[in-house]
Amino acid sequence: MLRTDARVSRQARWVMGAIPFLILVLTYLWGAQHLRALQNDDQGQGTVSVKLMPLPSDMWEGIQSVVKPNDKGDRTIVLDTWASMRRFAVGMAIVALGIVVGLYMGTFPVIEAFLHDFFVFVDKVPPLLLLPILFLVFDVGELSKVALVVIGVMPGVVLDAYARAKEISREQFYKAQTLGASEMEIPWSIVLPQILPKMLGTLRLNFKAAW
């Protein structure tokens, strides 16, 4: 069966692909029922909560509660989705500026010496550890949530842009200078067009972390 030249039919691929999902669903349902059994044996101590693993019926009730309009006529799911999308968009717009920072770091040695070690250090800090500090500094409003997205994603984008800019041959810089290019034109005219397609891919791959 385990052969490198084995052929799997489309029907078999569908069936085999569905098996892990089926196991996951059955395991979840068993866990939800087991949690309810533990709560019944808890004798009101409150140490076990069935809200950790709601049953499908509980999920359906929750969906209905957020879809129905509230007293003000607003739908909770619409308000929450819009708020999340706004934070995501603002955060990623700021994160995209990290491409410029990495571009300059990879092009100019002075900026590299000034910022490289700092971003390497910040990139190693788990952003969720900073969440309590952000709440203390920026309160629990929009700014703290956007700041969490920026702190969690931007250092990686900066370092990736820096690494790709360093891959560009310095001979291209010298040739551009002999043709009359200024120092400020080199990162924008020589480096950025070559790294931008890959950096767009980097931003796309960071959507999950930002979300």
Side-chain angles (χ1 to χ4, degrees), residues 72-106:
K72 297 181 180 180
D74 298 325
R75 301 178 188 273
T76 304
I77 190 171
V78 175
L79 295 177
D80 290 350
T81 302
W82 170 245
S84 297
M85 292 299 296
R86 184 174 63 249
R87 296 162 187 162
F88 175 81
V90 174
M92 288 304 297
I94 299 174
V95 166
L97 298 177
I99 298 177
V100 179
V101 179
L103 173 68
Y104 274 72
M105 283 173 51

Side-chain angles (χ1 to χ4, degrees), residues 33-93:
Q33 293 291 354
H34 181 66
L35 200 62
R36 278 153 181 76
L38 291 177
Q39 187 182 49
N40 293 332
D41 297 337
D42 199 28
Q43 297 179 351
Q45 297 298 320
T47 59
V48 179
S49 175
V50 296
K51 293 182 179 180
L52 295 174
M53 300 181 70
L55 289 171
S57 58
D58 301 325
M59 295 180 188
W60 177 245
E61 292 177 1
I63 293 174
Q64 289 180 318
S65 66
V66 298
V67 170
K68 292 180 180 178
N70 56 21
D71 297 336
K72 297 181 180 180
D74 298 325
R75 301 178 188 273
T76 304
I77 190 171
V78 175
L79 295 177
D80 290 350
T81 302
W82 170 245
S84 297
M85 292 299 296
R86 184 174 63 249
R87 296 162 187 162
F88 175 81
V90 174
M92 288 304 297

Side-chain angles (χ1 to χ4, degrees), residues 95-107 111-125 150-167 195 198-199 202-203 206:
V95 166
L97 298 177
I99 298 177
V100 179
V101 179
L103 173 68
Y104 274 72
M105 283 173 51
T107 306
I111 299 180
E112 176 185 2
F114 183 63
L115 294 177
H116 178 263
D117 292 344
F118 172 77
F119 277 104
V120 170
F121 171 78
V122 174
D123 187 52
K124 305 303 180 184
V125 179
V150 174
I151 293 174
V153 178
M154 189 172 184
V157 173
V158 170
L159 293 176
D160 191 59
Y162 159 78
R164 297 187 185 281
K166 294 291 286 185
E167 293 174 355
I195 70 171
K198 295 180 180 179
M199 291 312 304
T202 298
L203 290 177
N206 279 282

